[in-house]
Amino acid sequence: MSHDPNCIFCKIVAGQIPSRKAYEDEELLAFHDIHPWAPVHVLIIPKTHIASMADVTGDHAPLLGRMAALGPRLMKELGVTNGFRHVINTGADGGQEVYHLHLHVMGGPRPWLKG
């Protein structure tokens, strides 16, 4: 499994930095965002270090599918009943702040209208 010792999300995967976990299995970790943009805001990350969507290949398709499919399950488990949003920021111009692939899943009323 690829790991970047300087990556904050790799440190979360390794248990070096605490997180409020929402889900974990052998390939994925989901945890609550520390700066939420919605009433429910989780990040789903692969445990393997992939810097961004720009680094994704066809070999990653099953992993990306699992990430996308986990979002609705978590929203349901966390009580979101009226819709949610999936967002992946890619690169500096795409608003990516942490260079470890991560899927934001945000639920609640109009999560994109952060005040």
Side-chain angles (χ1 to χ4, degrees):
M1 185 178 308
S2 176
H3 175 80
D4 177 344
N6 299 312
C7 171
I8 190 168
F9 287 175
C10 286
K11 290 177 182 180
I12 290 172
V13 168
Q16 298 168 337
I17 295 176
S19 66
R20 201 174 95 193
K21 294 179 185 178
Y23 176 86
E24 184 173 16
D25 67 21
E26 64 284 342
E27 291 184 306
L28 301 176
L29 176 63
F31 54 94
H32 294 267
D33 195 300
I34 61 170
H35 299 293
W37 281 53
V40 177
H41 184 169
V42 296
L43 302 176
I44 301 173
I45 66 169
K47 289 185 172 181
T48 298
H49 183 81
I50 303 167
S52 78
M53 282 295 288
D55 299 308
V56 166
T57 68
D59 292 339
H60 295 113
L63 179 68
L64 294 173
R66 289 195 64 234
M67 290 172 69
L70 181 57
R73 173 182 160 185
L74 291 177
M75 290 296 104
K76 184 176 181 180
E77 289 175 4
L78 295 169
V80 174
T81 59
N82 198 31
F84 51 90
R85 186 174 192 213
H86 284 87
V87 176
I88 298 177
N89 300 318
T90 304
D93 288 344
Q96 187 173 3
E97 295 178 1
V98 176
Y99 282 82
H100 183 120
L101 177 65
H102 55 287
L103 171 63
H104 295 262
V105 187
M106 299 170 278
R110 302 182 61 151
W112 55 93
L113 294 179
K114 184 174 180 179

